[in-house]
Amino acid sequence: MTAVGTLERHLRQRRDEGRKLLLPYITGGYPTDEWPRLIEGLAAAGADAIEIGIPFSDPVMDGPTIQESSTLALGAGISPVEILARLSEVEVDVPLIAMTYYNICFRMGHERFASALKEAGVSAAILPDLPLEELTPWAEAADQAGIETVLLAAPTAPDERLPRIAERARGFVYGVGLVGITGERDELASSAIEIAQRLKNVTDKPVLIGVGVSSPSQAVEVCSVADGVVVGSAVIRKIIDGSVDEAIDFVGSLRAGLDSI
Amino acid sequence: MTTTGSSSLMGNPDDAGRFGRFGGRYVPETLVPACAELEDAFRQAWDDPIFRSEFDELLHRYAGRPSGLTECKNLSSQLGFRVFLKREDLNHTGSHKINNVLGQTLLAKRMGKTRIVAETGAGQHGVATATAAAYFGQECVVYMGEVDIARQALNVYRMRLLGAEVRPALSGSRTLKDAVNEAMRDWVATVESTYYCLGSVMGPHPYPWMVREFHRVIGTEALSQCQEILDGDVPDVVVACVGGGSNAAGIFSGFVDTRAELVGVEPAGGAAVGRLVPGVVHGSMSFLMQDEFGQVQEAQSVSAGLDYPGVGPEHAHLAEIGRARYEPVTDTEVLNAFELLSRTEGIIPALEPAHGLAWMVKAKDELAGKTVLLNLSGRGDKDVAQVQAIRDGDPSALETVDFSSEANNTNGAQ
Ligand SMILES: Cc1ncc(COP(=O)(O)O)c(C=O)c1O
């Protein structure tokens, strides 16, 4: 048995106290100078952990909103190394999770990437194009360095696959709320609650649902079963159409919604 | 007859879909079951004599196979070595792409999928897919980079005429790599009903293997055609252009276990193998043009069909074990070769296989006295207007992608 990591311990404890978990996503480097302040604002607004995207040139799991923030961040010249350097200076009391595509990690080298995350004060990693079958070389390096690798579980997975994903996941299990890519949706897909239930049936690790969770009411709806939510595109949309402060307020409203359960 | 014996250097990949250390299945979790289902369906179909005979029948009666082998007497005497062309330009729709597409759409039909999505660069794979979808009565959506839509207007109209919907890819470099991104995003969202008809030997397992098998017919035919003319011998050198690498994989598969030397030719601005840096994008590990941080770089080539920063994983493997070599040529060399073949042999090649010929011209000292087979993967009708504009001095016709120094530094961001 691997020792339970920082992120999982933190999330389990809060869940077991009866709290629903809230994980906002932001794109590292967007908006250019304000993103570190955004992280601190989100923590203060009630985030239980924060997912920071390291933008990649070809984000195949992402819809137009996160494509836009990634393109803007890359266009402003931000690199993975700079993002991690800035993160190490951010002062928050919740765990940070790096989300990026596998080639960024592969290019740096598994050991180097894992230790760079560690040095930046990041607890965990999400690599959405690295499924179970390709995971081992990275996951071993991550385990070694004390970086928790969160795994995604999709509605398309057959029943036999879910326990294997849950078993290998560290930190929490990330249930994909719909069959599709990231982006805001008007309604919660029925698959969101279904995947949450299927995961809760096979694991006692925290189960969070993301992709297509876009509003406080949707977050509340899915948390009838799930332990929490990951909200990405809807947060980024608030920044694109408004400001960092509007995004922070929005996360505050998600928090209030979840606390009302 | 097709042989895929495991003793062949181009036999089956391992269970994880690897050719040496390249290949694999690096896809979002949502697509993992679909890739597994596709792999099962392909294995069963490829072992099923009924599927095989349906496929052969389509290649023969619909696509017009076997394609011919032409000896180029004029060109041979000019270059100082014996030149043969495998005439994939004479297939229905004008390129080798139809082989793969007929295999995949037949497989889609067998799997009960009624909607087909595809990406396209030059438009040849898109046209082939739209053609087969019309033939099978399947709904068809083709993603194409906005830049390519502008430079391949004729093929865009062809696809629409055939009943396909052409959707522009508006992100990144707005060329082939971005069209692949959009097609994959579509597939992630529609995977239960949709078949993704990938156009080259790239992507997640089983695509690189499956697409090569559907193109194996090129190599199988060419081998026996050469042996007939050469009294049982094979050419000294087999040459093919490499974008993703499907026409090259098809012809190489016929000669990989012979003494023939194998040469893949890449555009200098898209030479993934030439740079020898491994990476992962679009579902597999291979050589990949990227910056020091792993951001994928934009390829740059006069030919939309080769404007791709990656290469199929089996080519990375063949390069690494030294069985095939990969050589770069410039846009200017390609344009000269395009005109050379037109004038000397009365064959207007597509700009893609003109890369192969451009290398042969460049390497003519090395090739002196040898016998060389070039896979003429497509005909040049689609490129005539573009070449005319370049020769008439329209600089924008050669400046294919906006590649400002700023975009160059930040890679992929525009
Ligand atoms: C005629 C022709 N040859 C070659 C290619 C490149 O593809 P591949 O490298 O997969 O053969 C294309 C792509 O559009 C093409 O149209």
Side-chain angles (χ1 to χ4, degrees):
Chain A
M1 262 295 294
T2 327
V4 172
T6 321
L7 176 65
E8 183 171 337
R9 220 177 314 120
H10 174 86
L11 294 178
R12 268 183 189 273
Q13 188 185 351
R14 291 191 170 198
R15 175 192 66 184
D16 295 346
E17 287 163 2
R19 180 176 166 100
K20 291 295 183 183
L21 304 168
L22 176 58
L23 242 100
Y25 159 96
I26 66 143
T27 301
Y30 177 77
T32 311
D33 294 318
E34 287 184 286
W35 67 274
R37 168 173 91 82
L38 173 61
I39 295 174
E40 289 163 5
L42 296 180
D48 296 296
I50 298 167
E51 189 183 327
I52 292 104
I54 301 176
F56 178 54
S57 53
D58 295 81
V60 289
M61 254 309 276
D62 288 307
T65 306
I66 293 177
Q67 282 177 47
E68 187 174 342
S69 59
S70 299
T71 302
L72 290 168
L74 287 171
I78 196 92
S79 73
V81 172
E82 265 177 81
I83 289 177
L84 294 178
R86 294 289 294 273
L87 277 182
S88 64
E89 292 159 11
V90 167
E91 300 218 4
V92 285
D93 55 2
V94 295
L96 302 179
I97 304 158
M99 181 277 180
T100 192
Y101 288 82
Y102 179 55
N103 199 49
I104 299 290
C105 158
F106 177 73
R107 182 78 166 117
M108 197 180 284
H110 297 141
E111 280 77 20
R112 266 183 69 205
F113 187 67
S115 62
L117 294 184
K118 196 76 194 168
E119 279 162 31
V122 172
S123 306
I126 303 176
L127 300 167
D129 57 346
L130 196 65
L132 211 47
E133 288 75 6
E134 303 290 357
L135 189 68
T136 306
W138 157 251
E140 283 175 355
D143 285 351
Q144 199 75 37
I147 295 293
E148 293 157 88
T149 303
V150 176
L151 294 187
L152 279 72
T156 51
D159 282 336
E160 59 79 24
R161 190 172 174 83
L162 295 180
R164 291 193 288 129
I165 291 173
E167 167 64 28
R168 180 55 254 198
R170 306 276 180 265
F172 66 94
V173 185
Y174 188 143
V176 181
L178 49 77
V179 179
I181 54 176
T182 62
E184 311 89 285
R185 305 293 198 285
D186 292 336
E187 278 172 37
L188 189 73
S190 59
S191 53
I193 290 178
E194 283 161 26
I195 189 67
Q197 190 60 61
R198 290 174 68 202
L199 287 168
K200 292 296 288 179
N201 291 345
V202 299
T203 186
D204 77 331
K205 289 177 182 163
V207 171
L208 278 74
I209 303 298
V211 183
V213 180
S214 317
S215 69
S217 66
Q218 290 173 6
V220 168
E221 198 181 336
V222 75
C223 281
S224 62
V225 178
D227 298 319
V229 290
V230 181
V231 182
S233 297
V235 173
I236 300 295
R237 176 55 50 199
K238 295 288 175 201
I239 311 173
I240 291 174
D241 292 347
S243 66
V244 159
D245 290 317
E246 279 174 53
I248 293 169
D249 288 347
F250 174 63
V251 168
S253 71
L254 288 166
R255 176 79 269 157
L258 292 177
D259 286 349
S260 72
I261 296 178
Chain B
M1 243 273 302
T2 301
T3 47
T4 54
S6 55
S7 59
S8 172
L9 265 177
M10 292 176 79
N12 295 355
D14 72 11
D15 289 344
R18 300 241 168 211
F19 307 91
R21 66 183 168 125
F22 302 103
R25 186 178 281 162
Y26 297 86
V27 291
E29 182 55 34
T30 307
L31 293 180
V32 171
C35 290
E37 180 198 357
L38 179 61
E39 183 189 339
D40 281 351
F42 173 65
R43 277 184 201 284
Q44 282 174 21
W46 211 228
D47 277 344
D48 178 354
I50 297 172
F51 181 89
R52 295 293 277 254
S53 71
E54 280 178 352
F55 179 52
D56 289 347
E57 192 72 6
L58 277 168
L59 290 178
H60 179 48
R61 308 241 173 243
Y62 190 69
R65 300 204 75 91
S67 68
L69 191 83
T70 300
E71 177 160 14
C72 298
K73 295 254 163 67
N74 303 330
L75 191 61
S76 299
S77 65
Q78 190 166 332
L79 292 177
F81 53 89
R82 204 171 170 193
V83 179
F84 291 94
L85 302 178
K86 176 62 176 162
R87 300 296 303 279
E88 293 300 298
D89 60 318
L90 298 179
N91 296 334
H92 181 39
T93 72
S95 80
H96 72 291
K97 298 280 181 189
I98 194 74
N99 306 326
N100 167 44
V101 161
L102 288 173
Q104 290 202 54
T105 48
L106 186 64
L107 185 61
K109 183 179 151 214
R110 184 181 162 109
M111 293 171 75
K113 310 261 179 186
T114 55
R115 180 175 179 270
I116 310 287
V117 294
E119 81 295 333
T120 198
Q124 291 303 97
H125 175 61
V127 167
T129 306
T131 298
Y135 178 83
F136 283 116
Q138 293 154 334
E139 183 188 342
C140 180
V141 173
V142 180
Y143 291 91
M144 189 169 186
E146 202 182 25
V147 169
D148 292 336
I149 287 181
R151 60 177 161 172
Q152 299 288 343
L154 187 62
N155 272 344
V156 174
Y157 181 66
R158 273 200 192 112
M159 287 184 266
R160 292 190 170 136
L161 192 62
L162 292 159
E165 183 191 342
V166 180
R167 293 190 190 162
L170 303 171
S171 57
S173 58
R174 293 164 290 132
T175 62
L176 183 52
K177 113 181 149 68
D178 310 282
V180 177
N181 289 339
E182 286 305 328
M184 288 189 86
R185 289 179 185 123
D186 183 312
W187 194 34
V188 169
T190 59
V191 59
E192 280 138 350
S193 65
T194 293
Y195 184 95
Y196 179 19
C197 183
L198 233 167
S200 193
V201 285
M202 42 183 264
H205 180 52
Y207 284 102
W209 168 49
M210 175 174 73
V211 174
R212 180 249 279 162
E213 286 304 302
F214 288 144
H215 281 304
R216 179 177 286 278
V217 62
I218 306 172
T220 306
E221 284 176 10
L223 176 64
S224 67
Q225 288 166 325
C226 287
Q227 284 174 330
E228 201 172 300
I229 298 171
L230 302 172
D231 292 330
D233 201 2
V234 295
D236 299 304
V237 187
V238 176
V239 182
C241 64
V242 175
S246 66
N247 86 87
I251 199 152
F252 287 0
S253 71
F255 296 89
V256 71
D257 302 315
T258 74
R259 67 171 186 87
E261 192 185 344
L262 308 178
V263 180
V265 183
E266 302 181 294
V273 184
R275 288 169 172 78
L276 292 175
V277 184
V280 175
V281 79
H282 297 152
S284 53
M285 179 173 298
S286 187
F287 291 130
L288 177 65
M289 288 173 57
Q290 55 190 306
D291 73 3
E292 60 179 307
F293 301 111
Q295 308 292 357
V296 181
Q297 283 171 326
E298 293 161 13
Q300 192 188 30
S301 165
V302 68
S303 122
L306 302 183
D307 216 343
Y308 184 70
V311 65
E314 191 167 30
H315 288 292
H317 176 59
L318 290 172
E320 192 155 86
I321 63 173
R323 180 59 190 94
R325 62 191 256 223
Y326 296 82
E327 299 287 346
V329 291
T330 66
D331 285 354
T332 307
E333 291 163 344
V334 169
L335 291 166
N336 292 340
F338 177 87
E339 289 164 347
L340 177 68
L341 191 65
S342 303
R343 282 198 204 118
T344 54
E345 297 293 336
I347 297 170
I348 301 175
L351 283 171
E352 292 81 12
H355 285 68
L357 182 58
W359 176 76
M360 287 158 61
V361 172
K362 219 162 73 161
K364 70 176 191 299
D365 293 344
E366 174 191 335
L367 296 174
K370 294 191 172 174
T371 301
V372 181
L373 170 65
L374 169 66
N375 194 17
L376 194 72
S377 56
R379 66 177 184 229
D381 309 38
K382 69 181 174 61
D383 300 315
V384 167
Q386 189 193 352
V387 174
Q388 184 186 19
I390 294 167
R391 290 312 195 201
D392 286 352
D394 174 0
S396 70
L398 188 56
E399 190 49 49
T400 48
V401 182
D402 174 27
F403 207 68
S404 63
S405 58
E406 194 190 337
N408 198 356
N409 287 336
T410 56
N411 295 301
Q414 289 196 350

